[in-house]
Amino acid sequence: MVIRPMLNNDIPAVLEMGKAMHQESVYRDMVFNDDKCRDLVMWLLNNPKAYTAVAVNDVGELCGMMAAQVAQHYFSDDFMIQDYLLYVRPENRGSSVAARLLTDFTY
């Protein structure tokens, strides 16, 4: 497994994992808006303060993803990490995917 930056050509697989994450969440009764999610991913990919990464298995399939950004806290001038998502496909849970995505974060 390899952890690498998210790329534009990952967007279809990222959106598919996003839909799966949505279906597992407490928000599953809300409408999943593909266009809005695609816009968010594009914004993150083009934001120099954002971190986006994917975990890729040995056959080239995405098995996890993470997105976060560095931003000022709302009541302070201090910076902090705001996570948008951390998702690992069910068949890869219990592995090191989530830990590797988190430890790969650098700013």
Side-chain angles (χ1 to χ4, degrees), residues 40-57:
L40 174 62
V41 172
M42 291 301 300
W43 178 81
L44 287 164
L45 286 173
N46 293 303
N47 181 347
K49 293 186 178 182
Y51 165 80
T52 58
V54 292
V56 184
N57 65 20

Side-chain angles (χ1 to χ4, degrees), residues 5-42:
M6 192 181 292
L7 305 171
N8 284 336
N9 61 353
D10 293 324
I11 292 173
V14 165
L15 290 175
E16 185 249 314
M17 281 196 294
K19 286 179 188 176
M21 180 178 71
H22 171 259
Q23 286 302 305
E24 293 181 42
S25 78
V26 297
Y27 305 107
R28 65 184 157 272
D29 293 328
M30 296 175 75
V31 175
F32 184 89
N33 184 325
D34 284 314
D35 293 332
K36 190 169 189 175
C37 291
R38 184 178 293 104
D39 290 346
L40 174 62
V41 172
M42 291 301 300

Side-chain angles (χ1 to χ4, degrees), residues 29-99:
D29 293 328
M30 296 175 75
V31 175
F32 184 89
N33 184 325
D34 284 314
D35 293 332
K36 190 169 189 175
C37 291
R38 184 178 293 104
D39 290 346
L40 174 62
V41 172
M42 291 301 300
W43 178 81
L44 287 164
L45 286 173
N46 293 303
N47 181 347
K49 293 186 178 182
Y51 165 80
T52 58
V54 292
V56 184
N57 65 20
D58 295 336
V59 294
E61 299 168 331
L62 302 189
C63 55
M65 61 183 176
M66 182 176 173
Q69 76 168 352
V70 175
Q72 283 187 319
H73 197 279
Y74 60 89
F75 64 72
S76 173
D77 293 331
D78 293 337
F79 286 87
M80 59 179 281
I81 297 170
Q82 296 177 319
D83 70 304
Y84 284 93
L85 62 95
L86 173 62
Y87 181 75
V88 176
R89 290 186 188 274
E91 61 270 21
N92 298 102
R93 294 179 188 161
S95 70
S96 64
V97 173

